[in-house]
Amino acid sequence: MQFNIKSIEDWQEIVNQIIPSLQYNILLLKGNLGAGKTTFTQFLMKSLGSNDEVNSPTYSIVNEYNTPKGKVYHFDLYRLKNIEEVFQIGIEEYLDNSFLCIIEWPEVYEDELYGLNYHTMNIINSIESREVLFD
């Protein structure tokens, strides 16, 4: 799926179309700083029925949100330097015990996902809008 965002309100329409397409419990979010990864997550959590405050897990590495469907874990791997640091936070246990794991900056861990099913969202900034690619 491909979307174009020109205003913050456009995120809700994207979430409305993506939720029925979520087949796997892993969602990788890719994009530059300020692309809208956390903003997307805020809209997604609200639409999934979470009342939790959603913010970037840049320093905590992982945030936990409650939804009627189960736990959602929101990771930000930006500050992790290697795969050993990812394993030290226990990411595999989170993946095994979640309704959904949202992983921002997944590149340090992506090779370990070989053989697993997951979705990827790429957010590409341009001067006037953002292009979002979801698969």
Side-chain angles (χ1 to χ4, degrees):
M1 287 191 268
Q2 184 173 347
F3 308 95
N4 196 312
I5 296 177
K6 294 186 179 188
S7 71
I8 194 165
E9 293 81 17
D10 292 341
W11 282 113
Q12 187 60 56
E13 181 56 33
I14 292 172
V15 165
N16 292 345
Q17 292 188 45
I18 286 177
I19 286 176
S21 299
L22 286 175
Q23 300 174 32
Y24 315 119
N25 75 323
I26 302 170
L27 172 59
L28 308 182
L29 296 183
K30 297 180 177 184
N32 294 335
L33 287 171
K37 297 179 294 292
T38 299
T39 300
F40 164 78
T41 303
Q42 291 168 338
F43 278 89
L44 180 62
M45 289 301 93
K46 183 176 179 184
S47 293
L48 290 175
S50 178
N51 294 318
D52 296 330
E53 182 178 342
V54 176
N55 49 46
S56 177
T58 300
Y59 295 103
S60 62
I61 308 297
V62 62
N63 290 341
E64 177 182 316
Y65 310 121
N66 295 300
T67 74
K69 294 185 177 196
K71 298 277 185 195
V72 174
Y73 298 103
H74 180 197
F75 295 88
D76 184 330
L77 304 182
Y78 182 76
R79 295 179 36 229
L80 302 186
K81 295 174 182 54
N82 55 55
I83 193 62
E84 288 79 25
E85 290 182 340
V86 177
F87 287 132
Q88 287 175 358
I89 65 170
I91 196 165
E92 291 173 316
E93 188 170 328
Y94 288 106
L95 295 177
D96 290 341
N97 296 295
S98 69
F99 164 67
L100 181 64
C101 283
I102 301 166
I103 306 174
E104 295 187 26
W105 302 100
E107 291 78 6
V108 71
Y109 185 63
E110 208 163 0
D111 287 346
E112 299 300 317
L113 294 172
Y114 180 78
L116 297 178
N117 294 317
Y118 57 88
H119 298 283
T120 302
M121 177 182 280
N122 288 292
I123 306 168
I124 303 157
N125 292 352
S126 69
I127 294 172
E128 295 178 7
S129 66
R130 289 179 172 91
E131 182 181 0
V132 177
L133 304 169
F134 174 83
D135 61 34

